[in-house]
Every structure is written in C-alpha cells, then in structure tokens.
Amino acid sequence: MSHPRARLRPARPAALRRLAEGKPVPGRIGVLAAIERPLVIAFIATLGVLGGIVLGSAIASITTILAYIFMALFIALGLDPVVRRLERRGLKRGGAIGLVFAVFAVVVLLLAVYVLPRVIAETAAFIGSLPEAIAGIESADWFTSMSADAQTAISHGLDELTAALARPETIAAIGGGALAVGVGIISGISAGFVVVALTLYFLASLEAMKLALYALAPARSRVRLADMTERVTASVGSSLLGSVVLSSINAGVVLGLHLLIGLPYPVLMAAIAFVITLIPLFGSVIFLVLGSLVALLSSPAQALGFAIGYLVYIQLESYVVSPRVMNKAIAIPAALVLIGALVGGTLLGVLGVLIALPVMATILLIIREVVVPKQDAKL
C-alpha cells in the first residue's frame, strides 16, 4: 500500500525523472534548457563571431602568400604535361624538370633583355605622341570626307579627350601609374623567385602529393578519386598551357602584322595582345577592336589592313589552332567561361583570368562525375 503523501505529490515529468535516475535527457529538453540560458548562448555566439573575424583577418594577412602558392601550383600543373612528354621520350623526371626550367629561364631572360626595354620605350613614345595623333585626325582625308554632323560629333569627342589628357590630375595619374608599374616590376622580381622555388617543389613532388590525397579517401573510393584527379590535373595543365600557347601565337601574329603593314609600336601591341588574349573566347575579339582603333591613329588604310588580317587569324584560331592546342581541355559553355573570367579577373587580375578556365573545368567535371550520378541514383 502506498504512502498517503505519495498520492498528494504531483507526478514528475518523464524528463525530470530520467535526470534524477542519471539517464540521458531527450534533445528537446536540451533546446529548452538552452533557451532558458540566453546569456550563455549569446556568449558562445559572440565567441564564434570573434573567432570568425580573427580567422578572416589571419587569412587576409596571408593573401599574398596564398596567391604565390596557387600560382606556383597552377604553373606546376601547366608544366607537368611537358615534363611527362619528356619522360615518355626516355628522360628521368628530374632531368625533364631541369630541362623545362632551363628553357623557361632562357625565355624569361630573353624577354627581360630584349622585349621589356622595347615595351617601356614604345609605351613612353605612344603616350607622348597621343595628343599629336588625336589633333591630326581632323586633317585626315577620311575625316574630311564624312558628313558635317559626324565631323562635329567626332570633333567634340576629340576635344573632350584632349582636355582630359591635358588635365593635371590625368598627368599625375599617368605618372603615378608609371611609378606603380616600376614598383610592381621590382616586387614582381622578388615574388618570382618565391614562385619559381614553389613551382620546382610542386612539380618534383606532384605524384607524392596525389598519393597523399588518395590516402585520405576510403579504400573503396581511391580508384575513382585517382581517375578523377588525373583527369582534372590533365585538363588543368592542358588549359593553362594551351592558353599561354594561344596567347603567344596571338602576340606573334600581331607583331608580324604590325611589321608587315608598317604600324608603329609593334612590340607594345604584341605584349598587350598576349595579356588580353589570355581571356578565353573573347580576348581575341576585344583586341581586334582595340588594335584597330590604335591603328586608326596612323591611317584608315593601315587600320583596315590590320583588322582584315587579324580577323582572318581569329577564324583560323577558332577552327584550326585552338582545337589542336586545347584538345584535352573539358568543354565549357561560353556563358560560364565569361562569368569565370570576370570573377577571376576581379579577384586576382591576370592570374585570375588565366586560372578561371581550369577552375570552371574542374567544377564542371566534379558536378558531372559526382553530383549528377548521385542524384540519378535517388529514386
């Protein structure tokens, strides 16, 4: 028979009974307990926010180092196809890496000795002759043959451009830009040694890095991971190497057209073409417009000749050169290429534009090979 007071005492909830017996409490009681302690939750949330801010600040402080690492890694992936081709010819990997870097060093030395001084001199000459070239447009035959309204509109635009170039702030901006370029060249030389050292390390230990990555995956997934990794690295290497080769061919064509037609600033325009045509798909079209406008400052006939010659090369590049150079790269829709180039250029400049295509190719490959099959398997 139960005690009389036991009947008068209200029954305790099951959760409190489990607490008294030392048993685990259901999750909803934990949530209710958390709600009942708002100061503790607020303090933990504040610590989380502060930790995120500290982590973000730490990452921001080493952004330059991370950029060097990514640059060296992508250069190593771009040079790896050449190293592998030399290995298939009978060279050991160390000898192949040494030969590739020797050729790379010779190319950089030739560019620094012969090309860079010409680019600087032609840039100064172009900036100095720009006001005179603009003023001479109004006396050109093609300008006088236009209608009066067109002449008035063009004259008004030229006057605005001349006034803008003559402003002190514009001159100061050009001078500051030239100083920034000089400082950038000096800092680029010091950064180049770091990138070269990291590239040598990544290129020499690329296979070991892949094996370490495979070891992190479960044993049942290592074969598939190895296959995807090889495909991704092959695509990245082919894309990077192909982009540089296509841009180099573009620069050579522009240099040849300028020398053949007799246009000024051939080395400067070739260097500009190399940088702009790193933009996939649209770089050649952009330079077609820019190069034709610069050539128009000399004469309409020369500008027309340059436009026709470069347009012919664009067609050859699209249907003959590019398919042969980029044959191992993953096909990417044009819209995604443009978006990737814009995002990469905004974040990392020329380097971002260069690596945008391989990154997009990698993302698409992962989606096609991993995400889509998993979704297809869900019935």
Side-chain angles (χ1 to χ4, degrees):
M1 186 174 180
S2 60
H3 196 276
R5 292 185 179 180
R7 292 194 300 268
L8 297 177
R9 189 167 48 233
R12 291 183 296 178
L16 297 179
R17 223 171 27 246
R18 295 175 68 89
L19 278 175
E21 295 172 0
K23 297 180 179 179
V25 183
R28 62 178 182 273
I29 300 301
V31 174
L32 294 176
I35 295 176
E36 293 174 357
R37 292 179 292 176
L39 293 179
V40 175
I41 300 303
F43 179 72
I44 295 175
T46 303
L47 288 180
V49 173
L50 290 176
I53 294 174
V54 171
L55 180 61
S57 301
I59 294 175
S61 63
I62 60 173
T63 302
T64 304
I65 299 175
L66 294 177
Y68 293 165
I69 294 173
F70 281 111
M71 186 186 303
L73 181 59
F74 274 97
I75 293 175
L77 291 176
L79 294 178
D80 187 59
V82 182
V83 174
R84 290 192 175 190
R85 186 172 300 178
L86 292 175
E87 284 184 292
R88 289 194 294 268
R89 297 288 180 88
L91 284 178
K92 294 184 178 180
R93 187 168 182 85
I97 292 174
L99 180 59
V100 169
F101 263 85
V103 174
F104 177 74
V106 171
V107 171
V108 171
L109 182 62
L110 292 176
L111 290 176
V113 173
Y114 294 103
V115 177
L116 185 60
R118 290 288 301 275
V119 170
I120 295 174
E122 290 185 5
T123 302
F126 175 73
I127 294 175
S129 64
L130 195 57
E132 183 180 353
I134 293 174
I137 291 178
E138 296 184 356
S139 60
D141 295 336
W142 63 270
F143 180 83
T144 55
S145 63
M146 300 178 69
S147 63
D149 293 337
Q151 291 182 12
T152 302
I154 294 176
S155 298
H156 180 70
L158 292 176
D159 292 339
E160 292 291 334
L161 181 59
T162 304
L165 291 175
R167 290 171 187 164
E169 55 268 23
T170 304
I171 298 174
I174 294 175
L179 180 61
V181 169
V183 174
I185 291 174
I186 296 174
S187 61
I189 293 173
S190 60
F193 289 106
V194 178
V195 173
V196 167
L198 288 174
T199 303
L200 275 171
Y201 174 77
F202 288 147
L203 196 56
S205 59
L206 195 58
E207 296 301 323
M209 293 168 61
K210 291 179 183 179
L211 292 176
L213 175 64
Y214 304 154
L216 296 177
R220 64 179 181 274
S221 304
R222 287 175 186 171
V223 175
R224 187 180 181 186
L225 177 62
D227 177 65
M228 285 193 58
T229 303
E230 291 298 328
R231 293 171 62 184
V232 167
T233 53
S235 176
V236 170
S238 299
S239 298
L240 288 173
L241 188 61
S243 298
V244 174
V245 169
L246 288 177
S247 295
S248 301
I249 297 174
N250 259 285
V253 170
V254 170
L255 179 64
L257 285 174
H258 275 70
L259 295 176
L260 180 64
I261 299 174
L263 288 170
Y265 323 115
V267 180
L268 172 62
M269 297 307 296
I272 295 175
F274 177 82
V275 175
I276 291 180
T277 54
L278 288 174
I279 303 173
L281 296 182
F282 306 100
S284 299
V285 179
I286 294 173
F287 184 78
L288 172 63
V289 177
L290 178 62
S292 300
L293 290 177
V294 174
L296 190 60
L297 296 176
S298 299
S299 75
Q302 290 177 315
L304 181 61
F306 173 80
I308 293 175
Y310 193 67
L311 185 60
V312 170
Y313 167 72
I314 290 178
Q315 301 303 314
L316 291 175
E317 180 187 79
S318 300
Y319 295 103
V320 179
V321 181
S322 184
R324 294 177 180 272
V325 174
M326 307 289 284
N327 57 350
K328 292 185 180 180
I330 298 175
I332 306 174
L336 293 181
V337 172
L338 179 59
I339 293 172
L342 291 174
V343 173
T346 302
L347 294 177
L348 296 174
V350 177
L351 175 63
V353 174
L354 186 60
I355 68 176
L357 190 61
V359 170
M360 295 298 295
T362 303
I363 294 174
L364 280 180
L365 181 63
I366 293 174
I367 292 175
R368 292 171 184 171
E369 299 291 335
V370 178
V371 178
V372 174
K374 284 186 177 180
Q375 295 301 322
D376 292 339
K378 296 178 180 179
L379 299 176

